[in-house]
Amino acid sequence: GQTDASGSFTISLQPGTYTVEEEQRQGWSSSTPSSVSVQVEAGMTTEVQFGNYQLGSIAVLKYYDLNLNGHYDDGEAALEGWTITIDDGNGLTLAAVTNSDGIATFTALPPGHYNVSEQMESGWYNVTPASVEVDVGEGETVEVEFGNAQYASLCVVKFNDLNGNGMCDSEDTYLQNWTIEVYDSENQLVASTVTDSMGCADFILKAGTYMVNEVLVPGWQPTTQLPLIVELMPGQEALRWIGNTQDSY
């Protein structure tokens, strides 16, 4: 039979031993045993109680945060194939992969506290925190958003500016083993490397505005105005040039 509006169900039975079971419903869990054995005696009412609670869920959205504002905006692309993990701190750990809509869903969760984290993919960085703490209530769906952006790449080419015109012409040659430095908007050094045989100093950087300078080698002078101001967008591949000419003696 089915319970009434008060949650009760009553049935008249002959004396004897009976097994009483409750129906298991999706989205619910039992706080008491779902099956009990009872002894029914003549003229007596035997009471059985079944306790249940609704399970919760966590829905995670992964998106490409193109404008780097830490919020999902219309038109920003969903990120498919990213691994999301939840952990309740008591031994329950679950993982799911985002679908084509950037969604990873965890269902049938007991109410409680969970840590939700993303597994970073190569070539990307997190714009929002990569791990958040959430509380899932009974029957509640908690929504979490993770925004990410692709690193940008910057190649700074050093060349021997033979005619001193500030441009890399066909007769100019590349300068190897020159140190190139990159500073952020607060004038803090964030990266430094030396040019290779093709005169290129390669950098992998987050999107943002940077100042690029060289460590000047004695006997040389720049023909390019320094520092270079470089604004990088997510996923951009940028190329910049720094020319130098040797002092005349």
Side-chain angles (χ1 to χ4, degrees), residues 201-240:
D202 285 310
F203 299 93
I204 301 298
L205 301 165
K206 293 181 179 181
T209 301
Y210 297 93
M211 294 178 291
V212 179
N213 218 329
E214 64 181 355
V215 176
L216 192 61
V217 173
W220 292 79
Q221 297 299 323
T223 60
T224 305
Q225 185 174 353
L226 296 175
L228 300 177
I229 305 301
V230 180
E231 185 172 351
L232 298 176
M233 300 299 294
Q236 181 182 357
E237 297 179 356
L239 180 64
R240 298 293 186 271

Side-chain angles (χ1 to χ4, degrees), residues 148-167:
N148 297 80
Q150 282 184 295
Y151 281 102
S153 64
L154 171 65
C155 173
V156 180
V157 178
K158 285 285 303 164
F159 64 97
N160 186 358
D161 192 0
L162 295 174
N163 61 10
N165 67 350
M167 301 177 61

Side-chain angles (χ1 to χ4, degrees), residues 18-31:
Y18 294 88
T19 298
V20 185
E21 297 179 343
E22 68 169 347
E23 173 192 9
Q24 298 300 303
R25 290 197 173 185
Q26 186 176 4
W28 291 78
S29 187
S30 301
S31 58

Side-chain angles (χ1 to χ4, degrees), residues 123-180:
W124 293 77
Y125 62 96
N126 58 295
V127 178
T128 57
S131 176
V132 297
E133 304 286 330
V134 299
D135 290 305
V136 178
E138 185 177 341
E140 180 185 14
T141 296
V142 176
E143 296 182 350
V144 175
E145 295 183 354
F146 288 123
N148 297 80
Q150 282 184 295
Y151 281 102
S153 64
L154 171 65
C155 173
V156 180
V157 178
K158 285 285 303 164
F159 64 97
N160 186 358
D161 192 0
L162 295 174
N163 61 10
N165 67 350
M167 301 177 61
C168 188
D169 303 309
S170 59
E171 67 272 15
D172 293 334
T173 56
Y174 299 121
L175 297 176
Q176 187 176 4
N177 294 327
W178 281 60
T179 298
I180 305 297

Side-chain angles (χ1 to χ4, degrees), residues 55-76:
L55 299 170
S57 62
I58 298 174
V60 180
L61 169 65
K62 283 282 304 158
Y63 65 97
Y64 193 159
D65 194 1
L66 280 171
N67 61 9
L68 308 175
N69 69 348
H71 301 283
Y72 174 75
D73 299 300
D74 290 342
E76 290 183 327

